[in-house]
Amino acid sequence: MTQAADGGPGFVILTCMRGAAGSGASYALTCPVDTPFLPADFVPRLIATLEAGDPNAPAVAVCDGRVHGLHALWPVSRCADLDMLLDDPAKRKVELLHRELGSTPCIFDSGEGAPPFLNLNRPDDIERAQRFADSGA
């Protein structure tokens, strides 16, 4: 199997899940570090989504109809399933992994403040984030 660093986000997720399983945890949380405005209740809501639905299906953040596939809680019980999916290069996109694993959406509202899953990739993203931070949004 390809190493996590070479195989994209799916392999990083699998590595996180295996690490969590090795620590005795039931779930692994993934969240990109370049999303500074996560809701304060981000993790509790993902947990509640798992508890209300299928505890063996990942819970994934959805905001304004957009799936934020890396913002998710992954049951370590699905490591083998994810491993098999990653063997097929055609299924390595995170959105396809969620579909194949039957992920449950955890709905967030963007509200009037900073977009909760604003991803900072370009200089104008950073400027936009600074405006939100300065406004207290």
Side-chain angles (χ1 to χ4, degrees):
M1 173 151 331
T2 306
Q3 294 295 323
D6 299 333
F11 289 98
V12 174
I13 293 165
L14 181 59
T15 300
C16 291
M17 290 170 67
R18 286 179 173 157
S23 298
S26 299
Y27 301 98
L29 176 70
T30 59
C31 178
V33 299
D34 58 354
T35 52
F37 298 113
L38 291 177
D41 61 350
F42 174 64
V43 174
R45 288 181 59 186
L46 288 173
I47 292 169
T49 297
L50 283 172
E51 290 174 347
D54 180 355
N56 291 309
V60 61
V62 176
C63 185
D64 297 333
R66 180 171 175 229
V67 175
H68 296 275
L70 295 176
H71 295 85
L73 193 57
W74 306 85
V76 300
S77 63
R78 302 299 299 273
C79 281
D81 297 326
L82 182 57
D83 194 13
M84 284 191 312
L85 288 169
L86 293 171
D87 280 340
D88 182 352
K91 293 186 178 177
R92 289 185 183 165
K93 286 188 146 207
V94 174
E95 64 190 59
L96 296 175
L97 298 175
H98 279 293
R99 185 177 321 141
E100 293 288 329
L101 295 172
S103 295
T104 306
C106 181
I107 308 299
F108 291 87
D109 182 18
S110 62
E112 294 183 21
F117 302 102
L118 176 65
N119 187 275
L120 306 182
N121 291 314
R122 299 178 314 266
D124 58 319
D125 294 332
I126 295 170
E127 291 169 8
R128 182 175 175 212
Q130 187 62 53
R131 285 193 300 274
F132 281 119
D134 291 345
S135 72

